[in-house]
Amino acid sequence: MFANRIERLKPSLVREILAAAQAPGVISFAGGLPAAETLFQPQLDQWQAPSHIWQYGPSEGEADLRELVAARAKAMGLDCRPEQVLILNGSQQGIDLVAKLWVDEGTRILCESPTYLAALQVFELFGAQFITGEQDAIGLTPAAIAENEARFAYLIPTFQNPTGACYGLPQRQVLAEALDAKGMPVFEDDPYRDLAFDGVAPAPLVSHLKSARWVYQGSFSKTLAPGLRLGYLIAHPDLIVPLTRLKQAADLHSNRLSQAIVAEVLRSGQLDEHVAHILPSYRAKRDAMHAALSQHLADRASWIKPAGGLFFWLHLHRQQDTLALMQQGLAQNLAVMPGVPFYPNGKGASALRLNFSHSSIGQIEEGVRRLAGLLR
Amino acid sequence: MFANRIERLKPSLVREILAAAQAPGVISFAGGLPAAETLFQPQLDQWQAPSHIWQYGPSEGEADLRELVAARAKAMGLDCRPEQVLILNGSQQGIDLVAKLWVDEGTRILCESPTYLAALQVFELFGAQFITGEQDAIGLTPAAIAENEARFAYLIPTFQNPTGACYGLPQRQVLAEALDAKGMPVFEDDPYRDLAFDGVAPAPLVSHLKSARWVYQGSFSKTLAPGLRLGYLIAHPDLIVPLTRLKQAADLHSNRLSQAIVAEVLRSGQLDEHVAHILPSYRAKRDAMHAALSQHLADRASWIKPAGGLFFWLHLHRQQDTLALMQQGLAQNLAVMPGVPFYPNGKGASALRLNFSHSSIGQIEEGVRRLAGLLR
């Protein structure tokens, strides 16, 4: 006999699509993987691991890494102290910890629609219900906050997954005002910030809050390497103690080897160097996908060219079964992600999420051509 | 407003004691840390990291590591296939995943009393209630299983934390029969197995089950290095799919760098070499603590000399407040762990848990002398 929550533990569509997408010869727009050639590969043979990292370490994370993360957060406009930083085994873990912090069965979460499907899965596992308020072309409106009751808002303000949308500075300010006025806490998920192709992203939404409580999280998976499994959260001072206890209960502490590697990468300036190195390639791929979509699909779909992140979000003009479309794509060695699982309430327009980071430019052009064939 | 479970998220006594125990000059019997000189330190400068490990990886863990773990499990008497293995960020994570699998608010868990306090904390966070049935000098009796209703049993049959007790083969067999007869699943937590000072430990209890479902878990923290944060669980075929989905929801997958390091260590036979190298030192420390206790505390306490693991469990003849005793110890630069938090229902005999792995033999002798002074 399982716990009740196991009934809500659905087979992950993503897992299945990603498995299919890894077959040789498949062009995959399905995942959210960095390109192999953009991964940061630490030169371990030229590195002296600090001897203390093999012992048990602090649940909060290594002191030096927390300082470096706090300094980086300040540089992006989020004033915080190192004591507010908690190091995670990748930012997926932050979702689990925030769910434990805030979600009971029946807890209402205000979120964008569509939004990150693995966050929906975790929140749902803990029994959450989703509220999607009034939206504009970018995301939630202040009215969505004012007019709805929810324990907290889950937002991806910067290069959202899946839409690629990014709230501007004024929008962040009015949303922060609305959250303060409502006293609604916010969980800002921000893994794509550094992948900005057309100028620096505005400061985090939570940096504009005056009274509402907040958790902000970031990741090194998109800028360095996912295999390191390293992310972090920064929390309002009232929240960092319970979050740290939840982290301790979950796995005592994060991997110290990865923490030491990333601390060294931050200290030496290699992170910014690496991001500067990979951005032109990602930008070129983004442009190539935009051009291919414009050439082949302008009459059948609409999209906004994303200013950052890893995805195009394609609205199909004709209503259709995108799950069936995905299956048809796989039969032609093309993997795309159907839009349905990104909608908190399971329903939405016919849409596809297309990842442009993992494929080569040639694959992007060929894949969009195949997709156009499927839609014809 | 927090989730209800946060009310059950108590400040961790262990965290506080361990923080105090790290002050310079303190002799610490409080933690469960391996000695610094016994930690396995991978020679990263002579190692070529496989290039694929920087990308996202499988939630189940690396295929080669799962095979190596399954082979090792077979060698200890637990027949299983690599598909039943799930790689964890340390075995604390297995407790979180099993809690998610089985524990609702009010779920009854049958466990030894005393038992591992961090497991109690996690289960309680998820709302569990604890049942402690009939016990003998070693642990649970078959009657405890036959006479109680619980969703599952949580057991540490081998060199238990905190008692150091180890179920013999016949006891494992009759307990397995009782679990089968009752249809009660079991979660066997087995991090200390390889630290066996007086002969090999009997095969895992779950290896004797015929029909009851089970989860078994082990760790590389005690044999290699805790900082690697690497453990594993092996589960009944009916349980591995939901456990893998829970792992994916928790943090996508475990650190691939640590997985590659440990796979190489297992493949090359270095794990057994390292264990053979550290056992004499741990055995000598165990013997030194036994001798010191015999010299100084034979009239005030009783204990069983543990055949493995990291701890002595000291029953004080006179009922006393062991929390106050701990505070008095810290004032004299001695950290001991009070027994209270190890009791599922918060009450038990006056007892102390004494770790012998972290201190030198000189510190063990001096620490026991100080403890005897406190008890006088």
Side-chain angles (χ1 to χ4, degrees):
Chain A
M1 191 172 145
F2 293 122
N4 294 330
R5 72 180 67 79
I6 300 302
E7 285 174 29
R8 300 186 296 257
L9 184 68
K10 297 174 202 150
S12 167
L13 182 68
V14 183
R15 261 177 84 81
E16 290 166 28
I17 296 174
L18 292 186
Q22 276 168 21
V26 172
I27 294 176
S28 178
F29 297 158
L33 278 67
E37 70 272 15
T38 62
L39 297 176
F40 181 84
Q41 303 209 5
Q43 300 302 309
L44 297 177
D45 52 350
Q46 293 158 36
W47 182 66
Q48 193 63 42
S51 67
H52 66 268
I53 66 172
W54 310 112
Q55 188 54 278
Y56 284 107
S59 298
E60 299 84 345
E62 305 297 314
D64 59 345
L65 181 57
R66 296 168 77 204
E67 280 179 27
L68 289 157
V69 166
R72 207 172 164 82
K74 275 188 200 173
M76 67 174 82
L78 177 57
D79 194 31
C80 66
R81 288 171 296 110
E83 293 73 26
Q84 291 172 262
V85 175
L86 178 65
I87 306 298
L88 307 168
N89 286 318
S91 64
Q92 180 73 22
Q93 183 173 49
I95 300 171
D96 180 72
L97 299 182
V98 169
K100 287 170 174 163
L101 182 74
W102 277 335
V103 182
D104 291 310
E105 294 217 15
T107 292
R108 293 154 61 100
I109 303 176
L110 179 66
C111 61
E112 294 141 350
S113 176
T115 189
Y116 177 46
L117 63 84
L120 293 175
Q121 286 169 342
V122 174
F123 292 142
E124 198 172 355
L125 181 66
F126 281 85
Q129 296 186 345
F130 301 108
I131 310 295
T132 58
E134 186 189 284
Q135 302 210 147
D136 58 19
I138 303 294
L140 286 190
T141 63
I145 294 160
E147 291 165 7
N148 285 289
E149 301 303 321
R151 188 168 287 171
F152 69 101
Y154 170 70
L155 302 176
I156 313 171
T158 308
F159 315 138
Q160 206 241 24
N161 179 359
T163 66
C166 184
Y167 295 96
L169 172 61
Q171 200 167 6
R172 288 168 195 244
Q173 289 167 329
V174 295
L175 288 171
E177 272 172 36
L179 290 159
D180 277 335
K182 190 83 175 185
M184 188 187 291
V186 59
F187 178 22
E188 177 169 3
D189 196 358
D190 202 13
Y192 305 108
R193 161 170 300 272
D194 289 328
L195 302 181
F197 310 130
D198 304 329
V200 174
L205 192 152
V206 299
S207 69
H208 303 291
L209 293 172
K210 294 197 168 52
S211 57
R213 301 203 285 185
W214 52 272
V215 179
Y216 171 89
Q217 72 172 12
S219 171
F220 298 107
S221 290
K222 312 301 180 188
T223 48
L224 291 174
L228 288 168
R229 303 308 311 125
L230 216 63
Y232 57 88
L233 64 76
I234 306 175
H236 186 283
D238 290 355
L239 304 179
I240 193 68
V241 170
L243 284 166
T244 304
R245 287 182 190 153
L246 288 167
K247 166 71 180 170
Q248 185 189 27
D251 63 5
L252 300 186
H253 62 80
S254 295
N255 188 287
R256 299 189 83 182
L257 183 53
S258 281
Q259 291 189 74
I261 291 170
V262 172
E264 179 58 29
V265 166
L266 289 176
R267 202 179 290 117
S268 62
Q270 287 176 88
L271 173 57
D272 291 328
E273 270 172 37
H274 185 70
V275 170
H277 169 72
I278 64 177
L279 274 188
S281 150
Y282 278 18
R283 188 185 293 116
K285 290 180 178 188
R286 187 265 321 248
D287 291 346
M289 187 169 271
H290 181 65
L293 290 170
S294 301
Q295 182 183 346
H296 297 292
L297 281 167
D299 57 335
R300 295 176 187 271
S302 58
W303 64 91
I304 293 169
K305 186 179 171 184
L310 299 175
F311 306 107
F312 279 77
W313 182 245
L314 207 65
H315 281 275
L316 304 180
H317 290 164
R318 207 177 56 181
Q319 190 72 21
Q320 52 185 289
D321 180 346
T322 53
L323 283 164
L325 193 66
M326 177 203 79
Q327 296 291 357
Q328 293 157 17
L330 285 175
Q332 296 189 29
N333 283 339
L334 173 70
V336 296
M337 186 65 77
V340 180
F342 297 92
Y343 288 101
N345 299 319
K347 282 188 270 190
S350 288
L352 297 174
R353 191 191 72 174
L354 305 181
N355 166 264
F356 57 82
S357 61
H358 190 58
S359 303
S360 67
I361 288 183
Q363 288 172 322
I364 288 171
E365 290 167 349
E366 172 58 25
V368 171
R369 205 173 298 131
R370 283 187 206 169
L371 177 60
L374 284 173
L375 288 171
R376 207 155 289 136
Chain B
M1 192 172 142
F2 293 122
N4 293 330
R5 72 181 66 80
I6 299 303
E7 285 173 31
R8 301 187 297 258
L9 184 68
K10 296 174 202 150
S12 167
L13 182 68
V14 184
R15 260 177 85 79
E16 289 167 27
I17 297 174
L18 292 185
Q22 277 168 19
V26 173
I27 294 177
S28 178
F29 297 157
L33 278 67
E37 70 273 14
T38 60
L39 297 175
F40 181 84
Q41 304 209 5
Q43 300 302 309
L44 297 178
D45 52 349
Q46 292 159 38
W47 182 65
Q48 193 62 43
S51 66
H52 67 268
I53 66 173
W54 309 112
Q55 188 55 278
Y56 284 107
S59 297
E60 298 85 344
E62 305 297 315
D64 59 346
L65 182 57
R66 296 169 77 204
E67 278 178 28
L68 289 157
V69 166
R72 205 170 166 82
K74 276 187 199 173
M76 66 174 84
L78 177 57
D79 194 32
C80 66
R81 288 171 295 110
E83 293 74 25
Q84 290 172 263
V85 175
L86 177 65
I87 306 298
L88 306 168
N89 287 318
S91 65
Q92 181 72 22
Q93 183 172 49
I95 300 171
D96 180 73
L97 298 183
V98 169
K100 287 171 175 163
L101 183 73
W102 277 333
V103 182
D104 291 310
E105 295 217 14
T107 291
R108 292 154 61 101
I109 302 176
L110 179 66
C111 61
E112 293 140 352
S113 176
T115 189
Y116 177 46
L117 63 84
L120 293 175
Q121 286 169 342
V122 174
F123 292 142
E124 198 174 354
L125 181 66
F126 281 86
Q129 296 187 345
F130 302 108
I131 310 296
T132 58
E134 187 189 283
Q135 301 210 146
D136 59 20
I138 303 294
L140 287 189
T141 64
I145 293 160
E147 291 164 6
N148 285 290
E149 302 302 322
R151 189 168 286 171
F152 69 101
Y154 170 71
L155 301 177
I156 313 171
T158 308
F159 315 137
Q160 206 240 24
N161 180 359
T163 67
C166 184
Y167 296 95
L169 173 61
Q171 202 167 4
R172 288 169 194 243
Q173 289 168 328
V174 295
L175 286 170
E177 271 172 36
L179 289 159
D180 277 335
K182 191 83 174 184
M184 189 187 290
V186 60
F187 177 23
E188 177 168 4
D189 196 359
D190 201 12
Y192 305 108
R193 160 169 300 270
D194 289 327
L195 302 181
F197 311 130
D198 303 329
V200 173
L205 192 152
V206 299
S207 69
H208 302 292
L209 293 173
K210 294 197 168 53
S211 58
R213 302 203 284 185
W214 54 271
V215 179
Y216 171 89
Q217 71 172 12
S219 171
F220 298 107
S221 291
K222 312 302 180 188
T223 48
L224 291 175
L228 287 168
R229 304 308 310 123
L230 216 63
Y232 57 88
L233 64 75
I234 306 175
H236 186 283
D238 290 355
L239 304 179
I240 193 69
V241 169
L243 284 167
T244 304
R245 287 181 191 156
L246 288 167
K247 166 69 180 171
Q248 185 190 27
D251 62 5
L252 300 186
H253 62 82
S254 294
N255 189 286
R256 301 188 81 182
L257 183 53
S258 281
Q259 291 189 73
I261 291 169
V262 172
E264 179 58 29
V265 166
L266 290 175
R267 202 179 290 118
S268 62
Q270 288 176 87
L271 174 57
D272 291 327
E273 270 173 39
H274 186 71
V275 169
H277 168 72
I278 64 177
L279 274 187
S281 151
Y282 277 18
R283 188 185 292 115
K285 290 180 177 189
R286 188 265 320 247
D287 291 345
M289 187 168 271
H290 181 66
L293 290 170
S294 301
Q295 183 182 345
H296 297 292
L297 280 166
D299 57 336
R300 296 178 185 271
S302 57
W303 63 92
I304 292 168
K305 185 178 170 184
L310 301 175
F311 307 107
F312 279 76
W313 181 245
L314 207 65
H315 282 275
L316 305 180
H317 291 164
R318 207 178 57 183
Q319 189 73 21
Q320 53 185 289
D321 180 345
T322 52
L323 283 164
L325 192 66
M326 175 203 80
Q327 296 291 355
Q328 293 157 18
L330 285 175
Q332 296 189 30
N333 283 339
L334 173 70
V336 297
M337 187 65 77
V340 180
F342 297 93
Y343 288 102
N345 298 318
K347 282 187 271 193
S350 289
L352 298 175
R353 191 192 70 174
L354 305 181
N355 166 265
F356 57 82
S357 60
H358 189 57
S359 304
S360 68
I361 288 184
Q363 288 172 322
I364 287 171
E365 290 167 349
E366 173 57 24
V368 171
R369 205 172 298 129
R370 283 186 206 170
L371 178 60
L374 284 173
L375 288 171
R376 204 156 292 135

